[in-house]
């Protein structure tokens, strides 16, 4: 095994490590964005219904983000995107209900 083979092997290992790291960062970012959107929405709904303050709003957002991050940790990109699509569709349905309701 010559120096060329070792260098090639090292280069392949670096590429695989960079690809794995990039995919992990993208997965964490997607879960975080999903959690922030769902958490912020649910916290705002709770604030309007119950009328709690800013600290409770932030606390509720952080708790929901943590729960969403934990729940989505084993899901793939496609499953998370389908979950996002369902959440958006439910949100649009609720918005339509609010606009139509007397």
């Amino acid at each position: 095994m010559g120096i060329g083979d070792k260098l090639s092997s090292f280069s392949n290992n670096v590429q695989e490590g960079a690809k794995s790291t990039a995919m992990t960062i993208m997965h964490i970012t997607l879960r975080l964005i999903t959690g922030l959107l769902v958490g912020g929405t649910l916290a705002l709904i709770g604030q309007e219904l119950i009328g709690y303050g800013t600290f409770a709003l932030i606390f509720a957002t952080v708790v929901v983000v943590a729960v969403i991050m934990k729940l989505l940790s084993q899901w793939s990109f496609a499953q998370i995107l389908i979950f996002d699509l369902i959440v958006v569709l439910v949100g649009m349905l609720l918005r339509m209900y609010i606009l139509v309701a007397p």
Side-chain angles (χ1 to χ4, degrees):
M1 184 173 206
I3 193 162
D5 292 335
K6 289 182 181 180
L7 191 57
S8 175
S9 172
F10 176 73
S11 137
N12 286 336
N13 288 340
V14 169
Q15 284 180 340
E16 288 299 318
K19 180 180 175 184
S20 173
T21 302
M23 292 298 285
T24 302
I25 290 173
M26 284 177 33
H27 193 255
I28 290 171
T29 304
L30 182 62
R31 287 185 352 217
L32 184 65
I33 291 171
T34 300
L36 284 172
L37 290 175
V38 172
T41 303
L42 292 178
L44 283 172
I45 290 171
Q47 186 179 30
E48 288 297 317
L49 289 176
I50 300 172
Y52 48 75
T54 306
F55 179 73
L57 175 75
I58 294 171
F59 181 74
T61 303
V62 169
V63 167
V64 173
V65 167
V67 168
I68 292 291
M69 291 281 288
K70 182 67 175 169
L71 283 174
L72 300 182
S73 65
Q74 298 299 319
W75 291 15
S76 68
F77 283 107
Q79 291 171 325
I80 294 174
L81 292 175
I82 290 171
F83 174 76
D84 288 344
L85 178 66
I86 291 170
V87 167
V88 167
L89 290 175
V90 168
M92 290 176 66
L93 220 118
L94 288 172
R95 180 179 181 268
M96 184 182 67
Y97 173 74
I98 291 169
L99 291 175
V100 172

